Amino acid sequence: MATDYDAPRTRPEDEPATASLAVVQARGATAQAPAIDLEDADTAEGIDLPGADLSHEELTIQVIPEQTDEFTCGSCFLVRHRSQRARESRGTVYCIDCEG
């Protein structure tokens, strides 16, 4: 079905055509704004500036060693699943994305 973009738009039923600007603004003022959930990372304290001294910081993530069905690509150095293996050359394994 073709749409006529030049045709005047119809107003929704909850907003009559005779509503004044003051009525529309008053209705918008009484509507509640959604609550914003801020996490600790969303505050300015969670932002690390370039060149900042982070020597006193402690690593808080758990590092999982490479599993038996994974390999590290010799080009992009990402740990990939063995299904992503493209080729091996001189003991170095390459992934499909780097060989692509």
Side-chain angles (χ1 to χ4, degrees), residues 77-97:
F77 303 105
L78 294 175
V79 176
R80 304 285 189 141
H81 188 262
R82 67 175 175 228
S83 64
Q84 296 289 312
R85 184 178 178 146
R87 71 174 175 95
E88 182 175 352
S89 174
R90 298 183 197 149
T92 306
V93 183
Y94 297 95
C95 68
I96 293 173
D97 292 337

Side-chain angles (χ1 to χ4, degrees), residues 3-95:
T3 304
D4 184 10
Y5 292 104
D6 294 329
R9 296 184 183 176
T10 59
R11 296 182 185 267
E13 289 77 28
D14 62 337
E15 186 179 317
T18 59
S20 67
L21 178 60
V23 172
V24 173
Q25 287 177 339
R27 190 179 325 143
T30 60
Q32 293 182 355
I36 299 173
D37 294 331
L38 293 177
E39 296 181 12
D40 293 336
D42 293 339
T43 62
E45 296 159 353
I47 299 173
D48 295 328
L49 298 175
D53 180 23
L54 301 177
S55 60
H56 64 280
E57 294 293 325
E58 195 172 312
L59 187 62
T60 58
I61 60 170
Q62 180 183 5
V63 177
I64 301 171
E66 186 177 295
Q67 303 297 309
T68 57
D69 62 342
E70 296 175 333
F71 69 96
T72 303
C73 176
S75 179
C76 64
F77 303 105
L78 294 175
V79 176
R80 304 285 189 141
H81 188 262
R82 67 175 175 228
S83 64
Q84 296 289 312
R85 184 178 178 146
R87 71 174 175 95
E88 182 175 352
S89 174
R90 298 183 197 149
T92 306
V93 183
Y94 297 95
C95 68

